Amino acid sequence: AMVGVPMQRDEKLGLRNWLTAEEYAQREAEFAHQEELDNADFELENAASTPGGAVGGPVSPPPHWLERGEPQRQASLIVDPPDGRMPPLTESAQLRQAELRAAAAARGPADSYTDRSLYDRCIPGGLVGSMMPVIYNNGVLIVQSPRHVAITNEMIHETRIVPLDGRPHVGTAIRQWLGDSRGRWEGDTLVVETTNLNDRTNVGSARHSDAVTVTERFTRADADTLEYRVTIDDPLTWTAPWTMQFPLKRDDGYGMFEYACHEGNLAMFNILSGHRADERAAARSR
């Protein structure tokens, strides 16, 4: 996992996307300090946890769930534009973001299930989000056949079936959380172009439109490394296309866990019923 590598580059690094030995040492120190904080949080949580909360157990608290990976020398995930910064939002996107914020501010945090995050609702956080390093369950399983590639994400366990036979995308009326992917080979690089995404997921802090095209490039760098490069092109949201890049490391000893998110997901029920209880209490006090 590329934990500790920010999406956007520190502006003082300019066009340089590789840390010096001194900067890397500072990142290592910050990494170690964060681990200390995580362990301290674990001691507090474990002391108050229910029986069976031992590290490695089914209801284990952190740090068992945290996949921190190793500190990296890469300065930012964004590699294009060359300054490692996300391009500016278009005027229409700025207006759209403001409308989303205003709509959220006018509602309670759980007036409806739609007020909760996609993560709370066990819905994939979009195509780009599904491939980004996160707090845990970072596994990606890629299976090839002559005519298809299947890409399974451990987090919320979605699988994309990517045809390689040159068929066109589905009609524009069809929108999906992970879009409609089509693959082709350019030399030794698998290129996957995805369209037909809906407009309900973010890339970073910005909500993309349903006009977005996401192009992924998978290139084998060595026997145990895939170089992953993803370009986001959405003229209704950003003033220019932009690209992130990071390695995917092979791990033959890794086991993909079942991510049973919907099953037994009492969080949504408890959040919504708790908010209803708060509303009844507030009504009685008036």
Side-chain angles (χ1 to χ4, degrees), residues 41-43 45-47 49 52-66:
D41 287 344
F42 159 68
E43 295 297 339
E45 292 187 31
N46 198 38
S49 68
V55 172
V59 291
S60 168
H64 173 64
W65 289 107
L66 302 184

Side-chain angles (χ1 to χ4, degrees), residues 71-200:
Q72 303 287 323
R73 292 184 181 273
Q74 188 171 326
S76 65
L77 297 181
I78 296 178
V79 295
D80 186 57
D83 65 356
R85 308 289 296 177
M86 190 180 291
L89 294 175
T90 62
E91 287 188 18
S92 63
Q94 293 177 47
L95 178 61
R96 191 165 71 241
Q97 294 287 104
E99 289 172 344
L100 288 169
R101 288 192 295 269
R107 298 176 61 83
D111 285 0
S112 158
Y113 64 91
T114 59
D115 294 306
R116 305 309 303 170
S117 70
L118 298 180
Y119 183 77
D120 283 352
R121 295 164 59 191
C122 297
I123 294 173
L127 172 64
V128 179
S130 72
M131 296 297 294
M132 296 290 287
V134 289
I135 190 170
Y136 49 61
N137 292 102
N138 278 294
V140 178
L141 178 65
I142 302 174
V143 179
Q144 292 177 244
S145 75
R147 297 178 181 172
H148 298 84
V149 171
I151 303 171
T152 299
N153 300 105
E154 186 176 17
M155 174 69 83
I156 314 190
H157 60 69
E158 293 294 326
T159 297
R160 280 189 284 153
I161 305 297
V162 184
L164 305 175
D165 57 8
R167 73 183 68 176
H169 286 287
V170 296
T172 56
I174 297 175
R175 300 289 166 180
Q176 302 184 95
W177 291 103
L178 295 180
D180 183 58
S181 295
R182 297 288 182 266
R184 66 181 185 274
W185 289 98
E186 292 184 0
D188 292 334
T189 296
L190 173 66
V191 181
V192 178
E193 180 187 272
T194 302
T195 59
N196 297 75
L197 287 149
N198 66 35
D199 59 358
R200 287 178 278 173

